[in-house]
């Protein structure tokens, strides 16, 4: 009887233990992890549970390996990373800092398109991030209670231009860690083949001629008719208008009409209120969208099933010659299995849409992600986080990691001598050196996701031939009024 | 023996009770409170009274659209899943060869998560639709509607079937035999014996299917995501989008959530009452 009772107790205990362990492995919170470790009875089980939890939570705390730590800070610096494409590289950064200073750094990465959700949840937890990312002024309004004023930090003094910070009259609340540029990414190998072909029917001879919409359109349509000769399935990759994958069009491509409507770099205040919007340049937007849709490797009725990744893979495999995306796409292209496009062939040309003066314009370049320090944490945690960031953007190790592993083009003077490996950065510099002006990120002033998602859905219906362009424009303008009101008056 | 039960009572009840409180009761009460607040994170919530609810009922057009779509899914979904599940249960409780095998097969889809199912069915349906019509699921709300119904049936039928089988098997064989001796046809047996006697199962199954349809989220998200233009968006997905897509709308999303809970409670309550009263009359 005694034996049986003992057995029952063991069973019960192990049941409870495994229940908690299972908890830890599905939830991405580290409290669960330590709970599981604490309550599971046998050590073997405990260690198993915690390793499992670690791998699924995509969070990794690199333990202090060196015993000689120059700092007496005992806490953990937590960075809630915005960019899933560098999630692994960020872990290297954390490890490098821990190796050098003994301070623990934990990087958590929010899944694509879920940053705000993840941030909201984490801010309420005991392990709130010390460094988090905001994407613009409209988000600052919501999170200002949590932002530390960074005006007196070295980071702020290193900025090459104060427009790369998120600020208002009271202070500097966020500092950009990466300038991103986007335009049309071209596989130069294929376009060179076209320019050299005797069958072509245009007079253009190089990518340098493609700085106006008329030229781009003529070349693209000619290339589309010669696709067999060029060995491609279509000039443009799939226009990914699947819900959640439509940001290249509902946000990024909108930069062009918004920029022109609001009067260009000098007149747009990226830290200001959401301006009025009449979609004055809607015909121009339609021009370029139609060009994408009609000269693609898929029929335009199928764009609702395509994702950004599909599109990047098509480009990497050489099935198409052009896609619209930004320099962040390089990692995806470079890591595609069976990639055929050569590194040196990956270059940018600007997006053009038929507006007068666009031949002098270059890429869209701007800061869209700002690092903020959580002011809700104790002072020492905030200071440690700032020290970490200063190390990252000024020490030799840090700079190398930023430039070659994370591949951020930072707006800091300390990073001026960094060497980059991303070929798209070289192309950006090349275009800037030709004296072309960069478009600022006017699209950062789009009121909210509600507008973006509904507009994206509208574009999909247009592509499928179910919605007139006039109706697309009208809906976009009407909804803008509603959303802008909500954002400006909150 | 009874004494030893009592001794372990706490050991078995407390973990479950604690889990229920932590995962359900406490968040629910907090959620109720937050629906009267404007907030971004829990630490910085400001009380705003009824304004969130007023917004939900006066200005939020999408809420009613999503509600109507959900009702349409629920009506058809409840009827089809229950009819098919009951039919299968009848078929698989007659001692045919391979009964257990088929029961397992029918039950299996229920073990796969809704998100995975949603993506798999999206691929399947898109493949068929593109072949037949040249368009995909996002083309028309009708496609999306029937896609959700199909997916839901495929997932839920096996589960309901098991409940029905249990109900049918609990009917005493004497009754069935007596009916046979009295010369009842199969149709008569079905109508006068089987259906009345499994009516407790019918109550459970319709309840499960109904609440399930109203709460459906992952299948909806993965299969259509609301496309085209939010026309296939069900209530739960709408609430999520309200909460996150606009700045400062967490409170309104929360209020929608509370309204939604009350709605499901009321509908499920009415359904239970109706089917319970039928049970009492017929047995």
């Amino acid at each position: 009887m005694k034996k049986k009772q003992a057995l029952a107790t063991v069973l019960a205990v192990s049941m409870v233990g495994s229940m908690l362990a299972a908890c830890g492995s599905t939830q991405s919170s580290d409290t669960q992890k330590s709970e599981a470790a604490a309550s599971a009875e046998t050590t073997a089980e405990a260690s198993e549970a915690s390793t499992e939890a670690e791998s699924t939570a995509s969070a990794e705390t690199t333990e202090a390996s060196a015993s000689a730590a120059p700092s007496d800070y005992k806490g953990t610096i937590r960075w809630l990373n915005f960019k899933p494409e560098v999630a692994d590289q960020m872990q290297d950064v954390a490890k490098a800092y821990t190796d050098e200073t003994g301070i623990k750094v934990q990087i958590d990465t929010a899944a694509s398109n879920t940053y705000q959700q993840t941030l909201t949840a984490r801010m309420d937890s005991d392990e709130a991030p010390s460094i988090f990312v905001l994407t613009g002024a409209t988000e600052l309004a919501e999170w200002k209670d949590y932002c530390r004023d960074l005006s007196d930090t070295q980071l702020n003094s290193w900025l090459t231009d104060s427009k790369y910070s998120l600020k208002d009259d009271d202070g500097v609340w966020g500092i950009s860690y990466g300038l991103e540029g986007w335009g049309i990414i071209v596989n130069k190998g294929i376009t060179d083949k076209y320019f050299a072909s005797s069958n072509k029917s245009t007079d253009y001879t190089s990518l340098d001629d493609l700085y106006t919409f008329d030229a781009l359109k003529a070349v693209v349509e000619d290339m589309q008719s010669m696709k067999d000769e060029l060995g491609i399935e279509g000039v443009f990759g799939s226009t990914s208008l699947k819900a959640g994958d439509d940001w290249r069009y509902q946000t990024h491509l909108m930069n062009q009409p918004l920029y022109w409507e609001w009067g260009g770099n000098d007149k747009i205040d990226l830290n200001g209120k959401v301006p009025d919007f009449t979609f004055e340049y809607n015909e121009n937007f339609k021009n370029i969208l139609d060009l994408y849709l009609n000269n693609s490797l898929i029929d335009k009725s199928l764009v609702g099933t395509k994702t950004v990744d599909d599109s990047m893979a098509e480009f990497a495999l050489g099935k198409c010659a052009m896609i619209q995306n930004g320099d962040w796409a390089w990692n995806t292209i470079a890591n595609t299995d069976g990639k055929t496009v050569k590194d040196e062939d990956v270059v940018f040309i600007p997006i053009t849409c038929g507006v007068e003066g666009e031949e002098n314009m270059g890429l869209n370049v701007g800061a869209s992600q700002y690092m903020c320090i959580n002011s809700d944490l104790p002072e020492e945690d905030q200071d440690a986080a700032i020290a970490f960031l200063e190390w990252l953007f000024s020490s030799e190790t840090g700079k190398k990691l930023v430039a070659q592993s994370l591949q951020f083009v930072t707006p800091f003077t300390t990073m001026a001598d960094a060497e980059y490996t991303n070929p798209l950065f070289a192309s950006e510099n090349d275009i800037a050196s030709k004296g072309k002006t960069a478009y600022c990120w006017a699209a950062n002033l789009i009121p909210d996701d509600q507008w973006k998602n509904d507009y994206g859905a509208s574009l999909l219906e247009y592509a499928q031939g179910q919605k007139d362009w006039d109706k697309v424009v009208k809906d976009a303008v009407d909804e803008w009024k509603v959303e802008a009101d909500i954002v400006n008056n909150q | 023996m009874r004494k030893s039960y009592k001794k372990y009572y706490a050991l078995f009840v407390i973990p479950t009770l604690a889990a229920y409180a932590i995962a359900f009761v406490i968040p629910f009460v907090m959620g109720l409170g937050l629906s009267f607040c404007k907030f971004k994170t829990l630490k910085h919530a400001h009380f705003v009274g009824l304004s969130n609810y007023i917004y939900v009922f006066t200005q939020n057009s999408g809420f009613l659209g999503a509600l109507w779509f959900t009702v349409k899914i629920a009506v058809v979904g409840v009827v089809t899943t229950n009819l098919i599940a009951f039919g299968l249960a009848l078929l698989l409780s007659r001692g045919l060869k391979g009964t257990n095998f088929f029961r397992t097969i029918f039950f299996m889809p229920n073990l796969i998560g809704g998100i995975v199912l949603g993506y798999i069915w999206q691929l399947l349906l898109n493949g068929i639709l593109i072949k037949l019509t040249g368009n995909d699921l996002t083309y028309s709300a009708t496609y999306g509607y029937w896609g959700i119904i199909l997916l839901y049936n495929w997932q839920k039928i096996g589960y309901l079937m098991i409940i029905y089988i249990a109900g049918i098997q609990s009917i005493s064989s004497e009754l069935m035999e007596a009916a046979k001796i009295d010369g009842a046809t199969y149709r008569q047996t079905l109508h006068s014996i089987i259906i009345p006697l499994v009516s407790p199962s019918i109550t459970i199954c319709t309840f499960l299917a109904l609440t399930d349809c109203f709460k459906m989220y992952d299948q909806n998200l993965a299969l259509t995501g609301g496309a085209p233009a939010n026309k296939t968006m069900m209530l739960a997905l709408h609430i999520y989008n309200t909460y996150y897509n606009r700045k400062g709308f967490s409170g309104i999303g929360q209020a929608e959530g509370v309204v939604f809970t009350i709605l499901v409670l009321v509908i499920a309550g009415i359904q239970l009452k109706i089917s319970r009263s039928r049970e009492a009359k017929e047995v």
Side-chain angles (χ1 to χ4, degrees):
Chain A
M1 193 60 197
K2 267 254 162 75
K3 222 174 180 179
K4 233 180 190 172
Q5 254 181 14
L7 194 73
T9 317
V10 169
L11 269 175
V13 166
S14 67
M15 244 170 68
V16 174
S18 60
M19 211 171 85
L20 286 169
C23 244
S25 66
T26 47
Q27 303 200 356
S28 54
S29 143
D30 278 26
T31 12
Q32 299 282 350
K33 192 169 72 190
S34 49
E35 252 172 44
S39 37
E41 288 291 294
T42 57
T43 41
E45 206 178 332
S47 70
E48 214 178 271
S50 63
T51 42
E52 206 182 316
E54 233 168 54
S55 60
T56 39
S58 84
E60 199 174 292
T61 314
T62 31
E63 298 294 335
S65 53
S67 52
S71 159
D72 53 1
Y73 176 67
K74 289 279 173 280
T76 303
I77 298 168
R78 298 193 174 81
W79 186 338
L80 187 57
N81 171 29
F82 189 90
K83 291 165 147 301
E85 62 269 27
V86 294
D88 296 339
Q89 288 86 338
M90 284 292 245
Q91 302 299 348
D92 300 339
V93 171
K95 192 169 180 319
Y97 191 63
T98 309
D99 287 348
E100 238 173 70
T101 64
I103 295 174
K104 282 184 239 167
V105 179
Q106 177 181 317
I107 310 281
D108 292 309
T109 300
S112 181
N113 271 332
T114 61
Y115 193 81
Q116 280 293 313
Q117 287 90 315
T118 313
L119 180 61
T120 313
R122 288 295 164 89
M123 276 297 187
D124 275 324
S125 77
D126 293 338
E127 305 199 327
S130 19
I131 306 167
F132 62 98
V133 176
L134 295 181
T135 59
T138 53
E139 276 179 16
L140 178 64
E142 281 186 302
W143 289 103
K144 209 168 151 185
D145 287 348
Y146 285 91
C147 293
R148 169 178 169 149
D149 184 1
L150 299 171
S151 351
D152 301 330
T153 58
Q154 288 196 59
L155 282 175
N156 190 40
S157 68
W158 291 338
L159 280 177
T160 51
D161 190 324
S162 68
K163 73 179 177 195
Y164 298 133
S165 61
L166 193 59
K167 58 180 183 295
D168 60 16
D169 298 338
D170 307 333
V172 175
W173 309 106
I175 289 176
S176 172
Y177 59 85
L179 303 183
E180 296 186 315
W182 83 85
I184 298 172
I185 302 178
V186 179
N187 184 340
K188 199 159 164 288
I190 297 169
T191 49
D192 281 350
K193 201 162 152 192
Y194 166 78
F195 289 126
S197 165
S198 54
N199 296 325
K200 77 180 170 95
S201 51
T202 64
D203 300 330
Y204 303 106
T205 53
S206 86
L207 288 176
D208 291 340
D209 295 335
L210 303 186
Y211 281 66
T212 62
F213 179 71
D214 291 340
L216 180 68
K217 186 173 191 297
V219 167
V220 165
E221 285 174 350
D222 199 25
M223 280 178 76
Q224 181 75 9
S225 67
M226 291 164 59
K227 61 183 180 182
D228 293 334
E229 181 186 333
L230 299 172
I232 52 175
E233 293 172 23
V235 178
F236 282 105
S238 306
T239 308
S240 57
L241 282 171
K242 182 182 167 139
D245 279 277
D246 48 2
W247 46 265
R248 286 191 292 160
Y249 310 99
Q250 35 100 313
T251 309
H252 290 177
L253 193 57
M254 269 311 282
N255 203 53
Q256 262 52 38
L258 292 178
Y259 176 90
W260 294 113
E261 178 170 340
W262 292 336
N265 288 335
D266 302 332
K267 295 205 178 139
I268 299 174
D269 176 11
L270 292 174
N271 282 316
K273 295 256 178 202
V274 175
D276 290 337
F277 168 68
T278 59
F279 216 160
E280 188 185 340
Y281 290 88
N282 73 76
E283 280 301 323
N284 304 88
F285 184 91
K286 183 169 174 283
N287 280 344
I288 184 77
L289 184 68
D290 282 344
L291 193 71
Y292 291 163
L293 290 171
N294 295 333
N295 300 286
S296 169
L297 48 69
I298 56 160
D299 192 89
K300 65 179 172 184
S301 64
L302 302 181
V303 293
T305 61
K306 291 296 178 182
T307 64
V308 179
D309 285 346
D310 291 335
S311 199
M312 292 305 121
E314 289 156 8
F315 181 81
L317 300 177
K319 290 182 184 173
C320 62
M322 301 180 186
I323 42 165
Q324 180 207 312
N325 212 343
D327 47 31
W328 57 85
W330 172 244
N331 274 335
T332 318
I333 296 171
N335 295 325
T336 304
D337 284 336
K339 165 173 98 90
T340 60
V341 56
K342 292 198 199 87
D343 290 12
E344 65 272 20
D345 280 347
V346 179
V347 297
F348 270 127
I349 58 170
I351 300 173
T352 47
C353 56
V355 180
E356 205 169 317
E358 69 183 359
E359 62 275 12
N360 299 319
M361 301 298 290
L363 301 173
N364 303 276
V365 179
S368 77
Q369 290 154 26
Y370 303 90
M371 302 177 289
C372 304
I373 303 293
N374 184 353
S375 61
D376 228 32
L377 293 175
E379 195 80 22
E380 57 162 357
D381 288 322
Q382 298 178 34
D383 292 341
I386 293 173
F388 164 65
L389 292 177
E390 288 175 349
W391 168 85
L392 183 59
F393 297 111
S394 68
S395 75
E396 280 310 312
T397 331
K399 281 160 70 175
K400 191 161 180 225
L401 283 165
V402 170
Q404 296 183 2
S405 180
L406 300 177
Q407 310 209 350
F408 295 163
V409 180
T410 60
F412 299 122
T413 48
T414 49
M415 293 283 298
D417 54 348
E419 285 172 27
Y420 296 96
T421 51
N422 183 340
L424 288 169
F425 293 156
S427 176
E428 271 164 45
N429 289 334
D430 185 42
I431 291 175
S433 70
K434 286 178 192 150
K436 306 284 181 190
T437 314
Y439 297 89
C440 69
W441 267 25
N444 265 1
L445 290 166
I446 293 178
D448 55 19
D449 289 348
Q450 182 88 26
W451 189 88
K452 292 180 186 175
N453 293 344
D454 289 349
Y455 181 58
S458 221
L459 292 180
L460 173 59
E461 288 188 290
Y462 166 72
Q464 290 169 336
Q466 302 202 88
K467 199 167 183 174
D468 289 337
W469 184 250
D470 291 344
K471 180 89 173 94
V472 173
V473 173
K474 185 177 179 303
D475 287 354
V477 172
D478 288 351
E479 203 182 342
W480 185 286
K481 282 202 194 87
V482 177
E483 303 302 325
D485 256 4
I486 291 172
V487 174
N488 286 340
N489 298 326
Q490 66 170 320
Chain B
M1 202 58 195
R2 165 151 296 191
K3 233 181 184 171
S4 69
Y5 273 152
K6 271 200 173 146
K7 216 160 60 188
Y8 291 115
Y9 174 76
L11 184 69
F12 283 98
V13 170
I14 286 176
T16 320
L17 203 63
Y20 183 68
I22 292 169
F24 182 77
V25 179
I26 297 172
F28 184 78
V29 173
M30 282 170 76
L32 208 59
L34 283 173
S35 69
F36 297 101
C37 295
K38 185 177 171 75
F39 67 100
K40 182 69 201 179
T41 56
L42 304 185
K43 285 179 208 156
H44 294 252
H46 315 283
F47 184 76
V48 293
L50 282 171
S51 74
N52 291 336
Y53 287 94
I54 293 169
Y55 189 93
V56 169
F57 286 113
T58 55
Q59 295 182 42
N60 213 349
S61 54
F63 187 69
L64 292 179
L67 175 61
W68 176 232
F69 185 75
T70 310
V71 169
K72 285 199 288 186
I73 292 271
V75 169
V76 176
V78 169
V79 172
T80 50
T81 44
N82 278 286
L83 281 182
I84 301 173
F86 187 65
L88 282 176
L90 282 179
L91 213 68
L92 293 181
S93 53
R94 300 175 78 178
L96 298 175
K97 213 174 161 193
T99 294
N100 279 334
F101 174 75
F102 282 112
R103 284 181 190 176
T104 315
I105 293 290
F106 282 121
F107 186 71
M108 274 221 276
N110 192 57
L111 303 174
I112 309 173
I115 289 279
V116 180
L117 277 188
Y119 283 115
I120 294 174
W121 275 92
Q122 191 187 43
L123 287 176
L124 288 174
L125 293 174
N126 274 339
I128 295 169
L129 282 173
I130 289 170
K131 265 264 148 59
L132 292 181
T133 67
N135 296 302
D136 57 72
L137 260 182
T138 61
Y139 185 77
S140 147
T142 317
Y143 296 167
Y145 175 76
W146 289 108
I148 295 174
I149 294 280
L150 198 65
L151 163 60
Y152 181 67
N153 271 287
W154 193 73
Q155 184 183 25
K156 217 65 208 177
I157 282 171
Y159 189 70
L160 301 183
M161 178 194 77
I162 295 290
I163 300 177
Y164 280 125
I165 287 177
I168 292 170
Q169 280 177 342
S170 70
I171 298 172
S172 87
S173 53
E174 288 146 37
L175 262 176
M176 300 293 275
E177 214 177 302
K180 211 178 222 170
I181 291 168
D182 286 346
T185 61
Y186 185 72
R187 188 180 274 258
Q188 283 170 322
T189 319
L190 181 68
H191 193 257
S192 315
I193 295 181
I194 299 181
I195 293 182
L197 286 180
V198 297
S199 58
S201 306
I202 297 177
T203 308
I204 297 169
C205 287
T206 43
F207 175 78
L208 284 177
L210 189 74
T211 49
D212 237 33
C213 281
F214 269 92
K215 295 186 302 184
M216 196 187 299
Y217 172 74
D218 38 3
Q219 296 93 332
N220 185 205
L221 174 77
L223 190 73
T224 69
N230 302 342
K231 283 179 205 143
T232 61
M233 189 181 284
M234 299 181 68
L235 269 182
L237 185 59
H238 178 79
I239 292 170
Y240 178 88
N241 284 342
T242 307
Y243 197 102
Y244 284 113
N245 279 357
R246 283 172 166 166
K247 320 268 180 214
F249 264 53
S250 324
I252 291 162
Q254 196 68 42
E256 278 187 9
V258 172
V259 173
F260 171 64
T261 310
I262 294 170
L263 203 76
V264 175
L265 274 178
V266 168
I267 292 174
I270 293 172
Q271 179 266 331
L272 274 183
K273 198 148 194 189
I274 293 174
S275 45
R276 281 261 165 78
S277 70
R278 283 190 58 232
E279 262 174 56
K281 231 174 17 201
E282 286 175 0
V283 173

